[in-house]
Amino acid sequence: MSFLLDGVMNTTWQQLVMFAVGAILIYLAINKKLEPALLLPMGFGAILVNIPFSGAITQTMAGIGEVTGILDWLFTVGIHAAEAMPLLLFIGIGAMIDFGPLLSNPKLILFGAAAQWGIFATITCAALLGFNLTDAASIGIIGAADGPTSILVSQVLGSKYVGPIAVAAYSYMALVPIIQPFAIKLVTTKKERAIKMPYNPRSVGKTARILFPIIVTLVAGYVAPASVSLVGLLMFGNLIRECGVLGSLSETAQNVLANLITLLLGITIAATMKADVFVTVQTIMIMALGLLAFVFDTIAGVLFAKLLNLFSKNKVNPMVGGAGISAFPMSARVIQRMGQEADPQNHLLMHAIGANVAGQIGSVIAGGVILGLVPGLL
Amino acid sequence: MNASVVTHSLTLMWQGMAAIFAVILIIYFVLLLLGKKKKKADK
């Protein structure tokens, strides 16, 4: 009857730490409502894969041989083989995005580029801490503030830290309302935060809405071909939304497809949260670097807006630059709230939403650019 | 710390930001063009 105690006797302290990590993720998802669709499956998955001899992951059994576990299988097929899950999720995300605020005020797209600097600053910090270039680039991409992009880039680059990177990316996305005000206040005065921006949107025609995803795909594809899968599927989803003849497909992409992939993505990522690779000093470093990436992103966006103000008659509220990250719509809401704190009559929401959707484009382009450039530097 | 990795990361920074800005600036000009077309159509 000793087999009844095999599990207990083979539990390591690292596995107990992972049970605690899983419990914390579940707590944050349920009690604090932080990205519950991802953190809850990841938290429960972290428990599943760390039970000794867990059947959820591949095990070698005496007399039988290797028995494939469902989570390892999902990871191999859904992420490792062709990054199918994060890429398919982009179709749903693209179908959810309304590029209208950006199309009506094109200048805002520049913030989607500037705020990506945080990714590269974090890569340098990770390199200074001793990570090799592929791992550093995978860690830096947490600054894309975009979970699927972080998972895809770290997986394609072959990083062994996919689990901690995914946890950091989704956790900090949920913590944007805390991180961004801190970073913005570091580099702005109250007077700057009170700058008002008139909102006079120009009307956006249907043709422009349809041409936009096609043109973005072509431009990104020719300049950064590695970004085609990311940008292309995001824009494919958006084209389905905007074409006006695929209403039911658009609805399916936004709801059924996005929900189904999200459900599986969280628990599949848990396959990478095995105690022996997760409970390390590097995981703590990755969590710290991920936080730094979000701070750098925000500061870069704000400083770029200040730079534009030196050459522009119509001043931009520098905080809008900080919304040039992919965390949508949390970042735009933060900017609106901070603008009203500085001046109750200050309404920045639509400008911030424009910068925020620009950040969604910028982050997938950044992911593709990194995938294109890193192999050449190895 | 490996000095060559840090150097490569800095190379990645300027090349990466240049590529991102190149893509975004082209899209920016396309957006301006799309806006102009719309104005002409309105007239």
Side-chain angles (χ1 to χ4, degrees):
Chain A
M1 295 296 280
S2 66
F3 73 91
L4 289 174
L5 293 172
D6 277 356
V8 176
M9 300 306 285
N10 283 284
T11 303
T12 62
W13 68 267
Q14 288 95 335
Q15 286 168 327
L16 293 176
V17 170
M18 287 312 294
F19 291 157
V21 169
I24 290 168
L25 292 178
I26 292 171
Y27 169 80
L28 291 175
I30 296 172
N31 285 54
K32 302 291 177 188
K33 295 189 171 53
L34 296 182
E35 292 285 334
L38 266 303
L39 292 191
L40 190 140
M42 283 165 76
F44 191 69
I47 295 171
L48 281 185
V49 301
N50 286 295
I51 294 171
F53 314 115
S54 168
I57 55 174
T58 302
Q59 301 284 355
T60 304
M61 298 175 82
I64 297 174
E66 196 173 88
V67 179
T68 306
I70 180 67
L71 293 188
D72 277 331
W73 181 84
L74 278 172
F75 187 82
T76 304
V77 175
I79 297 181
H80 183 70
E83 291 75 40
M85 281 190 201
L87 285 174
L88 291 174
L89 188 53
F90 273 114
I91 298 176
I93 295 170
M96 289 178 206
I97 302 176
D98 176 9
F99 286 117
L102 182 62
L103 290 161
S104 65
N105 190 0
K107 192 165 76 172
L108 296 173
I109 199 164
L110 299 175
F111 299 124
Q116 307 310 320
W117 181 79
I119 295 173
F120 299 99
T122 308
I123 292 174
T124 301
C125 291
L128 286 168
L129 285 174
F131 287 96
N132 65 36
L133 192 62
T134 50
D135 286 332
S138 304
I139 294 164
I141 202 70
I142 296 171
D146 180 342
T149 302
S150 302
I151 293 167
L152 185 138
V153 171
S154 52
Q155 180 59 32
V156 172
L157 292 179
S159 172
K160 54 184 176 290
Y161 302 116
V162 178
I165 287 168
V167 171
Y170 282 110
S171 305
Y172 293 137
M173 272 168 64
L175 292 174
V176 157
I178 297 166
I179 298 168
Q180 282 211 303
F182 160 76
I184 288 170
K185 283 179 181 170
L186 280 180
V187 286
T188 57
T189 61
K190 190 176 177 188
K191 194 179 163 192
E192 286 172 326
R193 294 196 292 275
I195 293 176
K196 286 182 183 159
M197 294 172 69
Y199 183 62
N200 304 310
R202 61 182 191 191
S203 65
V204 181
K206 188 180 173 189
T207 311
R209 285 177 178 270
I210 291 172
L211 285 176
F212 181 72
I214 299 169
I215 292 170
V216 169
T217 306
L218 285 170
V219 173
Y222 273 96
V223 180
S227 70
V228 169
S229 56
L230 283 161
V231 179
L233 291 189
L234 183 77
M235 292 301 157
F236 172 57
N238 191 250
L239 185 58
I240 289 174
R241 171 198 175 97
E242 299 295 354
C243 70
V245 293
L246 294 173
S248 62
L249 287 194
S250 170
E251 208 170 288
T252 304
Q254 290 181 47
N255 299 304
V256 180
L257 178 69
N259 284 340
L260 190 61
I261 301 278
T262 302
L263 173 75
L264 291 175
L265 187 62
I267 202 154
T268 303
I269 282 299
T272 64
M273 295 174 72
K274 292 161 191 157
D276 52 338
V277 290
F278 200 96
V279 185
T280 60
V281 177
Q282 281 77 13
T283 297
I284 296 165
M285 287 160 82
I286 289 167
M287 295 305 286
L289 286 164
L291 178 60
L292 212 54
F294 274 64
V295 172
F296 283 151
D297 278 346
T298 308
I299 289 176
V302 170
L303 293 183
F304 184 74
K306 285 189 177 194
L307 182 70
L308 281 187
N309 280 347
L310 294 177
F311 306 100
S312 173
K313 251 193 324 189
N314 300 321
K315 301 290 181 212
V316 175
N317 188 310
M319 293 194 298
V320 170
I325 63 169
S326 186
F328 181 87
M330 295 88 86
S331 185
R333 284 185 190 149
V334 166
I335 305 308
Q336 162 73 358
R337 199 190 69 219
M338 290 184 74
Q340 293 206 314
E341 275 171 14
D343 178 347
Q345 301 302 314
N346 201 359
H347 299 285
L348 299 170
L349 187 63
M350 292 314 289
H351 303 288
I353 282 180
N356 215 172
V357 293
Q360 294 192 304
I361 297 174
S363 69
V364 288
I365 292 172
V369 163
I370 285 175
L371 290 179
L373 290 177
V374 168
L377 293 169
L378 294 175
Chain B
M1 185 187 82
N2 184 334
S4 78
V5 176
V6 177
T7 311
H8 283 149
S9 73
L10 292 171
T11 308
L12 184 63
M13 185 188 289
W14 83 258
Q15 287 185 350
M17 286 309 289
I20 293 168
F21 265 103
V23 176
I24 291 288
L25 277 173
I26 296 170
I27 296 171
Y28 171 64
F29 289 119
V30 167
L31 285 174
L32 290 182
L33 277 177
L34 288 174
K36 271 191 181 171
K37 270 188 182 173
K38 172 72 182 164
K39 272 185 188 168
K40 271 187 184 172
D42 288 345
K43 283 179 186 174

